[in-house]
Amino acid sequence: VLEAALIRARTRQQRHFEWLCDLLRIPSVGTLAEHHQDVERAAATLAGWLRDIGMNGVTLLPTGGPPAVYAEWLGAGADAPTLLAYAHYDVQPADPLEEWRTPPFEPTVRGDDLFARGASDDKSQLLAILAAAGCYLETSGRLPINLRLLFEGEEEQGSPHIADFIARHRERLAADAVLICDQAMADAQTPVITTGVRGMAYMEVEVSGPTVDLHSGTFGGAVDNPLNVLVCLLAALQDPVTHRVTIPGFYDRVRPVADEERALLARRALSDAEALALTGVPALAGEEGYTTWERTSTRPTLDINGIIGGFTQPGHKTVIPTHGQAKVSMRLVPDQEPQEIARLFSDYLHSIAPPTVRLEVRLQAGSHPAVVDPRAPAVQAAARAYERAFGASPVYQRGGGSLPIVHELQQALGAPVVMIGFGLPDDNGHAPNEKMHLPNFYRGIETVIHYLALLGLPEEEW
Amino acid sequence: VLEAALIRARTRQQRHFEWLCDLLRIPSVGTLAEHHQDVERAAATLAGWLRDIGMNGVTLLPTGGPPAVYAEWLGAGADAPTLLAYAHYDVQPADPLEEWRTPPFEPTVRGDDLFARGASDDKSQLLAILAAAGCYLETSGRLPINLRLLFEGEEEQGSPHIADFIARHRERLAADAVLICDQAMADAQTPVITTGVRGMAYMEVEVSGPTVDLHSGTFGGAVDNPLNVLVCLLAALQDPVTHRVTIPGFYDRVRPVADEERALLARRALSDAEALALTGVPALAGEEGYTTWERTSTRPTLDINGIIGGFTQPGHKTVIPTHGQAKVSMRLVPDQEPQEIARLFSDYLHSIAPPTVRLEVRLQAGSHPAVVDPRAPAVQAAARAYERAFGASPVYQRGGGSLPIVHELQQALGAPVVMIGFGLPDDNGHAPNEKMHLPNFYRGIETVIHYLALLGLPEEEW
């Protein structure tokens, strides 16, 4: 069964390439209203292919936004494990168009790379799952395990409906493990398993004072300037020397990383030299007592993402403005809770704000951190699958960014979430000239074929 | 001579009113290129009237911007004192036009008020000087003292050429005292003599770090966020409790206010209740150990006038921006020097900025503070003149704002600068529906007539 599927994957590369090009020609930009119909068309196209390869229960499920494409094959029996595989079919906008060497929705091959918006993020990775299932079903009429597929249509909008959706479809999504295909490898030879994502509490802070803009000559010195107060409040959130967040209770729930996992993560971690080169800063800085890779993955952070107030044009105007605003986001690690962190943040600022101003603090967006134990069988099976398809063991990384679906799925299904992917760091995801390295696309299909086979075997037979 | 001039002022009110209306119909908005010719026309009109009333040496002096209108009458002889009287003929833009009840450049009387842009600031005050001179010259053919007139055309642009101009024309402007007519009274019954203005050091601060915007998921924690650093630097400029500026040396040159002057200024000073009502803040705040009126007049201040950086649109974006900027202005009091304060400010920030960012600090604009001794004869003569024209003694105030010309004239001429005026606090200067209280215009003319007479007499004859 496995062997037949692998042979099929190799003989049908042209068909898989054509699927990819067909999907990339549909500008499924979820954030833009003018592409609404394209998003629907992408979903319908996928549903057709899923039916073609023999998946069952193919359906477009309403979410409140673009539909989720669902399909299943549950013929492996109640004793066999069930995998839920996730990817997304929507893409980022293509702007700025003038920076594309070839049009973003006309897939173009240059060397081993296929250039188009969504090539890497996430259409080739979605098709790796779809094609792998097809290679089994079209050769053997069956899969090694039960499989559910979920292709989301609004990941690039921050998955605003995904938590509700998962809650409403818990039974339909029930699985023993979850595979998410939406990541990049360390390089073309080195696959990555992402064993965690950071959560987020994204806050908005507004300090207001005078009811009208005041002349700083007339009232300068008599009232607390909202901007003077705002910078004091924001400066009080973090120790500038140790870079520790000073919000009382902020670190209380931070779970230490076990030595074993730390060693695993350290094997191929972001080096200081890489971080310096990639950022262009004069020198790195971060939380005392931790390395750069820990600071960007296993430790929580606090960043001011935006600030505005008063006169910001060229020249000078001597105004005491009515108000000033800032956006502050904290990346969270297990077991920090976004709602609790938001409350601690707000309580702290309110406790130090002077009574001479009005302070408003809001949670703008939040998501939970999540980790998966690298020793979990579903993770180790992914490692073996990578080894067979790429001939190289994967490295383990904790992602520094946030992927709300990971926590939502873990909570709803009680299953480990395994994050893999076949993109490359220079794929220009979210940027002009996005590309997919085609050999990775084909190896990705083989990786998923191996993964399904491995999950169907007892660990001792891997 | 005095009596004839006063009678003339009363019998010629209609003509003075018409002058005012004629001048207000010329939209001499200096900042707007499309009004360039109007500014020239206003200057030419004034020159014509000055010639008509018998002033000598009437000329339009180039400044680099709109011309300065100069005129003199030096027939009182070398032993008589010389006064330089200053006002400005340019006006603020009239926007927002839709908020004007009647068109800004069609002077309209409602009750005792004349509505038009520039009615109070500063065309009626300029004409008070011109009309007073005319009332003397047209009745007696002479003035009680030597008089030089300087009407500026770019005061509303911050007088960018005035320092150069004064330096180039020191001899032409030479005087024993300077009168500036551009102020407001405390109320319609209470004239004001302004005995000082604050100076200013207006700084721009820029903190930059990464060479490109970074994703806070990927690099959050590894680099100093320029906005996190910027708020720390700005917060370090002032103690949030005592509101003392913490820049080393900032207060070193602050000259204490003598008890006598303090008592004089306290007589009719901004009360806390007034400040609360005018600003709408929940509570006042300011430098420990000083009253609200001192904080806004005799004490230096530090205000952030604007700040911007990163993502400031609605919603959220998890960016570590390349840079952040702020505008910070300090109001200065004698004998603080703007250049020195700018240096202290810059040195301090550079001394506390971490090596993980790049810091740029620039002096954007600066002006010197200035004070005049309230006991100076030229000031006391203004007090007597007010009493005779308004039947009320003036109160003394230190202005909280900045008027660069005061220091420049004091330095260049070595003469006391007396600041008076006939506007009212609710005249809507710089705002829609600017007005002049016409009785104040006519009393203003009489005040200047008395002032010229008083300066021509020994103090014991006042």
Side-chain angles (χ1 to χ4, degrees):
Chain A
V1 175
L2 168 64
E3 209 46 48
L6 288 171
I7 290 168
R8 182 82 167 185
R10 278 160 211 157
T11 54
R12 287 293 176 98
Q13 284 193 354
Q14 184 60 28
R15 181 203 193 189
H16 297 155
F17 174 77
E18 280 161 17
W19 270 354
L20 181 54
C21 290
D22 287 348
L23 191 56
L24 290 171
R25 283 192 198 99
I26 305 174
S28 50
V29 183
T31 46
L32 300 177
E34 65 262 37
H35 289 299
H36 181 75
Q37 297 213 332
D38 297 316
V39 173
E40 304 274 344
R41 189 151 55 93
T45 300
L46 291 172
W49 293 341
L50 288 164
R51 285 191 198 99
D52 291 347
I53 64 169
M55 290 293 291
N56 301 322
V58 177
T59 175
L60 303 188
L61 295 171
T63 63
V69 182
Y70 176 81
E72 63 188 24
W73 188 89
L74 303 177
D79 291 342
T82 301
L83 176 72
L84 171 66
Y86 165 95
H88 65 90
Y89 67 85
D90 61 322
V91 298
Q92 283 276 319
D95 324 295
L97 286 178
E98 64 278 12
E99 294 187 20
W100 284 79
R101 284 184 57 198
T102 49
F105 299 108
E106 295 177 18
T108 307
V109 174
R110 287 198 288 278
D112 279 342
D113 296 324
L114 178 65
F115 287 82
R117 167 57 80 231
S120 170
D121 180 14
D122 188 38
K123 287 178 173 175
S124 62
Q125 310 215 36
L126 181 152
L127 286 176
I129 298 170
L130 195 154
C135 289
Y136 276 113
L137 291 170
E138 292 177 351
T139 50
S140 314
R142 64 183 314 275
L143 294 171
I145 56 166
N146 298 311
L147 181 65
R148 300 177 192 275
L149 302 181
L150 179 66
F151 299 148
E152 192 190 359
E154 51 179 356
E155 196 270 350
E156 299 295 1
Q157 297 182 63
S159 303
H161 301 99
I162 200 73
D164 274 359
F165 177 85
I166 291 169
R168 276 189 289 120
H169 295 283
R170 280 170 80 141
E171 290 187 21
R172 202 195 286 264
L173 302 175
D176 302 296
V178 179
L179 182 74
I180 294 182
C181 269
D182 186 21
Q183 303 287 319
M185 314 212 324
D187 56 51
Q189 282 73 50
T190 315
V192 168
I193 293 180
T194 300
T195 59
V197 292
R198 291 198 281 194
M200 190 161 64
Y202 198 105
M203 312 298 298
E204 291 184 328
V205 180
E206 178 164 340
V207 173
S208 53
T211 44
V212 291
D213 280 358
L214 301 176
H215 189 290
S216 79
T218 313
F219 291 106
V223 299
D224 254 332
N225 178 324
L227 298 184
N228 289 34
V229 174
L230 179 62
V231 299
C232 284
L233 296 182
L234 297 175
L237 291 168
Q238 193 172 32
D239 183 304
V241 176
T242 65
H243 289 76
R244 294 272 294 181
V245 175
T246 48
I247 300 166
F250 182 78
Y251 293 99
D252 285 1
R253 291 193 195 270
V254 174
R255 197 198 308 168
V257 178
D259 287 348
E260 193 182 349
E261 188 186 352
R262 197 183 177 285
L264 199 64
L265 295 170
R267 247 188 254 164
R268 169 91 185 211
L270 181 72
S271 73
D272 283 10
E274 284 169 321
L276 272 173
L278 289 166
T279 61
V281 295
L284 299 173
E287 189 185 355
E288 206 168 69
Y290 295 91
T291 61
T292 295
W293 72 261
E294 289 172 299
R295 292 166 177 172
T296 55
S297 60
T298 64
R299 298 297 301 170
T301 62
L302 184 146
D303 272 297
I304 303 173
N305 302 112
I307 189 166
I308 189 164
F311 179 71
T312 57
Q313 306 297 309
H316 64 277
K317 184 177 174 188
T318 51
V319 64
I320 299 176
T322 55
H323 69 288
Q325 295 170 290
K327 296 175 192 275
V328 182
S329 67
M330 292 160 284
R331 297 282 176 175
L332 310 180
V333 298
D335 298 313
Q336 290 176 306
E337 294 270 338
Q339 296 286 348
E340 184 185 27
I341 291 294
R343 188 176 51 74
L344 294 174
F345 179 97
S346 177
D347 288 352
Y348 176 57
L349 286 190
H350 279 286
S351 76
I352 62 173
T356 51
V357 296
R358 298 172 191 89
L359 171 66
E360 268 190 74
V361 181
R362 289 179 295 273
L363 176 62
Q364 214 276 334
S367 70
H368 283 80
V371 282
V372 61
D373 186 337
R375 296 165 305 185
V379 176
Q380 286 304 309
R384 298 295 85 74
Y386 266 142
E387 285 163 9
R388 288 174 197 185
F390 282 87
S393 292
V395 295
Y396 294 84
Q397 289 183 355
R398 289 260 202 115
S402 303
L403 200 56
I405 196 177
V406 180
H407 170 85
E408 300 299 336
L409 287 173
Q410 282 189 343
Q411 284 294 303
L413 312 182
V417 174
V418 185
M419 287 171 272
I420 65 170
F422 314 108
L424 287 177
D426 64 351
D427 273 351
N428 299 319
H430 296 210
N433 303 306
E434 179 175 351
K435 67 162 176 66
M436 182 67 192
H437 189 56
L438 285 170
N440 276 24
F441 173 49
Y442 303 125
R443 286 204 191 100
I445 296 168
E446 293 180 29
T447 304
V448 179
I449 289 173
H450 281 293
Y451 189 59
L452 296 177
L454 287 159
L455 284 188
L457 295 174
E459 240 177 291
E460 53 276 16
E461 294 180 28
W462 287 358
Chain B
V1 175
L2 168 65
E3 209 44 49
L6 287 171
I7 290 166
R8 183 82 168 188
R10 278 161 211 157
T11 54
R12 285 294 175 98
Q13 284 194 353
Q14 185 59 29
R15 182 203 191 188
H16 297 155
F17 174 77
E18 281 159 16
W19 269 353
L20 181 53
C21 292
D22 286 349
L23 191 55
L24 291 171
R25 282 190 198 100
I26 305 174
S28 50
V29 183
T31 47
L32 301 177
E34 65 262 38
H35 289 299
H36 180 76
Q37 297 213 331
D38 297 316
V39 172
E40 303 274 344
R41 189 152 53 95
T45 301
L46 290 172
W49 293 341
L50 288 164
R51 286 188 197 100
D52 290 348
I53 65 169
M55 290 294 291
N56 301 322
V58 177
T59 176
L60 303 188
L61 295 170
T63 63
V69 183
Y70 176 82
E72 62 188 24
W73 188 89
L74 304 175
D79 293 343
T82 302
L83 176 72
L84 170 66
Y86 165 94
H88 64 91
Y89 67 86
D90 61 322
V91 299
Q92 283 276 320
D95 323 295
L97 286 177
E98 64 277 13
E99 294 187 20
W100 284 79
R101 285 185 55 196
T102 48
F105 299 108
E106 295 176 18
T108 308
V109 174
R110 288 196 289 277
D112 279 344
D113 296 325
L114 179 64
F115 288 81
R117 167 58 82 229
S120 171
D121 180 14
D122 187 42
K123 287 178 172 174
S124 63
Q125 309 214 38
L126 180 154
L127 286 175
I129 298 169
L130 194 154
C135 289
Y136 276 112
L137 291 169
E138 293 177 350
T139 51
S140 313
R142 65 184 313 276
L143 295 170
I145 57 167
N146 299 311
L147 181 65
R148 300 178 193 274
L149 302 181
L150 178 66
F151 299 148
E152 191 190 359
E154 52 180 355
E155 196 270 349
E156 300 295 3
Q157 297 183 62
S159 303
H161 301 99
I162 201 73
D164 274 359
F165 177 86
I166 291 168
R168 277 187 288 120
H169 295 282
R170 278 169 82 138
E171 290 188 22
R172 202 195 284 266
L173 301 174
D176 303 295
V178 179
L179 183 73
I180 293 181
C181 271
D182 187 21
Q183 302 286 319
M185 315 208 330
D187 56 52
Q189 283 74 49
T190 314
V192 167
I193 293 179
T194 300
T195 59
V197 291
R198 292 197 279 193
M200 191 161 65
Y202 198 104
M203 312 298 298
E204 291 183 329
V205 179
E206 178 164 338
V207 173
S208 52
T211 45
V212 291
D213 280 359
L214 301 177
H215 189 292
S216 79
T218 314
F219 292 106
V223 299
D224 255 333
N225 178 323
L227 299 183
N228 288 32
V229 174
L230 179 63
V231 299
C232 283
L233 295 182
L234 297 175
L237 291 168
Q238 193 172 33
D239 183 303
V241 175
T242 65
H243 287 77
R244 294 272 294 182
V245 175
T246 48
I247 300 165
F250 183 78
Y251 293 100
D252 284 2
R253 290 190 196 271
V254 174
R255 196 200 307 170
V257 177
D259 289 348
E260 193 183 348
E261 189 186 351
R262 197 183 177 286
L264 198 63
L265 295 170
R267 245 188 254 166
R268 168 90 186 214
L270 181 70
S271 74
D272 283 10
E274 285 169 319
L276 273 173
L278 289 167
T279 61
V281 295
L284 299 173
E287 189 186 354
E288 206 168 69
Y290 295 91
T291 62
T292 295
W293 72 261
E294 288 172 298
R295 293 165 176 173
T296 55
S297 60
T298 63
R299 299 296 301 170
T301 63
L302 183 146
D303 273 295
I304 303 172
N305 302 113
I307 189 166
I308 190 164
F311 179 71
T312 57
Q313 305 298 308
H316 64 277
K317 184 178 175 187
T318 50
V319 64
I320 300 177
T322 54
H323 68 288
Q325 295 170 290
K327 295 174 191 276
V328 181
S329 68
M330 292 160 283
R331 296 283 175 175
L332 309 180
V333 298
D335 296 312
Q336 290 176 305
E337 294 270 339
Q339 297 286 349
E340 183 185 29
I341 291 293
R343 188 176 52 73
L344 294 174
F345 178 96
S346 177
D347 288 352
Y348 176 56
L349 287 190
H350 279 285
S351 77
I352 62 172
T356 51
V357 296
R358 297 172 192 87
L359 171 66
E360 268 190 74
V361 182
R362 290 179 293 273
L363 174 64
Q364 213 278 334
S367 69
H368 283 81
V371 283
V372 62
D373 186 338
R375 296 164 304 185
V379 176
Q380 286 303 309
R384 297 298 84 73
Y386 266 142
E387 284 163 10
R388 287 174 198 184
F390 283 86
S393 291
V395 294
Y396 295 84
Q397 291 182 353
R398 287 259 203 118
S402 303
L403 200 57
I405 195 176
V406 180
H407 169 85
E408 300 298 335
L409 286 172
Q410 282 188 343
Q411 285 293 305
L413 312 182
V417 174
V418 184
M419 287 171 272
I420 65 169
F422 315 108
L424 288 176
D426 64 353
D427 273 351
N428 300 319
H430 297 207
N433 302 306
E434 179 175 351
K435 67 163 176 67
M436 181 67 192
H437 189 57
L438 285 170
N440 275 24
F441 173 50
Y442 302 125
R443 286 203 192 100
I445 296 168
E446 292 180 30
T447 304
V448 179
I449 289 173
H450 281 295
Y451 189 60
L452 297 177
L454 287 159
L455 284 187
L457 294 173
E459 244 179 286
E460 53 277 13
E461 293 180 28
W462 287 358

